[in-house]
Amino acid sequence: MVRHKNRYMVIEINGESRKPTESLHLKPGSLHHSVMSMVQKLHGDFGVAAITAGFTAKYCNEKTRVAIVRCRHGPHRFVTSTLPLIRTIENKKVVVNTLYIGATIKQCFKFIRRYQQRKFDEYCIGLKSEEQKEELRTAILNLDPILKIT
């Protein structure tokens, strides 16, 4: 039996016409479909066949616009080369930035925790009441979907 190594890519999906504090409603399935179609355009049938076996979009956070994509080690290069070229997801204009590439989902979880804490600190500067801060804290720092993955 052969062990298959995976790579987990933490990406940020920014809407072109949106404010940084607005949420972006995306489903992991639509992210999966847009990445597969871009790999088809750039790398053809070979690229799609290479990434199909272990490719999934694991997580999408609406508030911080962070997502996790998993792919097998080796063909993950096809995915990482196409991520910056994705311009539309669900007919929404977006810009995709790769934040982190890790070998385990635990390391990606640690990175996301630090990243979301930084985002929370940035967004809290403009808020005055504790109620607003607590509401934002529960929205941004809610890591339950990631905990269900691991």
Side-chain angles (χ1 to χ4, degrees), residues 23-138:
S23 62
L24 183 66
H25 301 287
L26 288 177
K27 299 177 191 110
S30 61
L31 177 63
H32 179 272
H33 177 69
S34 62
V35 171
M36 289 292 274
S37 64
M38 186 58 72
V39 169
Q40 174 68 38
K41 287 179 187 175
L42 293 177
H43 301 289
D45 292 335
F46 178 76
V48 172
I51 70 168
T52 299
F55 179 72
T56 57
K58 301 287 279 180
Y59 166 73
C60 287
N61 188 328
E62 296 176 354
K63 284 289 188 180
T64 58
R65 298 175 310 280
V66 173
I68 297 177
V69 177
R70 181 188 76 191
C71 189
R72 285 205 178 151
H73 183 270
H76 77 282
R77 291 182 184 98
F78 292 129
V79 177
T80 56
S81 67
T82 59
L83 285 174
L85 302 174
I86 295 174
R87 295 290 171 229
T88 58
I89 299 175
E90 291 181 356
N91 296 325
K92 299 174 187 173
K93 292 188 179 281
V94 295
V95 176
V96 179
N97 299 320
T98 304
L99 299 175
Y100 179 76
I101 299 173
T104 64
I105 200 160
K106 184 176 179 181
Q107 292 300 320
C108 291
F109 173 67
K110 288 178 184 179
F111 175 82
I112 288 174
R113 186 183 308 155
R114 288 189 308 266
Y115 181 77
Q116 288 179 341
Q117 183 64 45
R118 278 186 268 140
K119 284 290 188 182
F120 173 72
D121 293 340
E122 287 177 19
Y123 294 159
C124 271
I125 292 172
L127 301 177
K128 297 188 185 342
S129 71
E130 284 297 320
E131 296 169 351
Q132 291 175 334
K133 288 181 182 180
E134 192 58 38
E135 182 179 311
L136 184 65
R137 178 185 303 276
T138 58

